[in-house]
Amino acid sequence: MADRHKDEGQPFTRRPLIYGRAKGKALSPRQQKLFADVLPRIAVPADTPLDPYTLFSDITQVHVEIGFGGGEHLIARAAQNTDIGFIGCEPFLNGVAKTLAAIEEQELTNIRLHHGDARDVLDALKPETLDRVYLLYPDPWPKSRQNKRRFVGGDTLTSLARVIKPGKILQVASDIPDYIQWTLREIAENGQFTETQYSLANHDTPPPGWPGTRYEAKAIREGRTPCYLEFERQ
């Protein structure tokens, strides 16, 4: 497949609906340069409909990570699987900056980033074009009045079902028991995903090849037990 990095593409400009912090401490001059020079080259273009395979060269699958945080999982996956194209979505400025630095240092060519709301990308993608979606340690919004802010819900699950290929996978990890129960309930009500037999038998065990995240390591240090869920698109 021809290499189409979409250097000329324009990233999404619609202001996303995002809860929580969008940025932390001020970016260093190097990080500012990464945003100016690197991000435009690898930003997901605002094409609709978007065929994700046109964003990469010589790939066999496309995976999406929703809310990649500091990029630990995304970078590890991309480095280990150069035949897979990865799209990472993250609204937090400093997390994107850290990930851009790792992409440049490791010279990774199979990552594209969207600095913003993942729903922008989900809405733009052509149907049934993703092989796997990761949602790792999403903000639990623990108060009852905040539950509506949780990413897992009827609308987003319908969007995910539209873009994930039948038989392919949605992975969710959380260290918050209430969020796990919420996810299982929402998945059951949605009816377009079924938990895999592997997941049913191994909630407390990371899947093979799991690289982990910084937040996951912190949760374990603080005595919280991560739960790993895996659902197959019907």
Side-chain angles (χ1 to χ4, degrees), residues 71-177:
E72 300 90 1
H73 178 271
L74 181 66
I75 294 296
R77 289 285 189 191
Q80 294 166 3
N81 301 277
T82 56
D83 62 329
I84 297 175
F86 291 85
I87 296 174
C89 305
E90 175 58 57
F92 188 54
L93 183 77
N94 302 77
V96 176
K98 181 180 178 182
T99 304
L100 286 170
I103 290 171
E104 184 182 55
E105 289 166 3
Q106 299 188 37
E107 300 182 346
L108 298 173
T109 61
N110 58 331
I111 297 180
R112 301 291 176 265
L113 298 183
H114 174 54
H115 175 213
D117 194 323
R119 288 169 292 188
D120 291 334
V121 175
L122 296 181
D123 289 347
L125 286 170
K126 287 186 175 181
E128 299 182 1
T129 50
L130 301 182
D131 295 272
R132 189 171 294 260
V133 173
Y134 305 97
L135 179 64
L136 310 182
Y137 303 97
D139 194 319
W141 295 108
K143 297 179 181 178
S144 296
R145 69 176 184 275
Q146 297 174 334
N147 286 175
K148 63 184 179 181
R149 299 181 178 184
R150 291 174 169 177
F151 190 86
V152 174
D155 290 345
T156 51
L157 288 175
T158 296
S159 295
L160 287 166
R162 186 185 72 85
V163 296
I164 296 175
K165 299 174 184 176
K168 300 304 182 179
I169 298 298
L170 167 64
Q171 283 189 315
V172 181
S174 177
D175 60 320
I176 308 299

Side-chain angles (χ1 to χ4, degrees), residues 48-60:
T48 302
L50 175 63
D51 180 353
Y53 281 84
T54 64
L55 305 179
F56 305 95
S57 175
D58 299 323
I59 59 167
T60 58

Side-chain angles (χ1 to χ4, degrees), residues 35-46:
F35 264 87
D37 297 343
V38 178
L39 183 57
R41 296 202 307 268
I42 65 172
V44 178

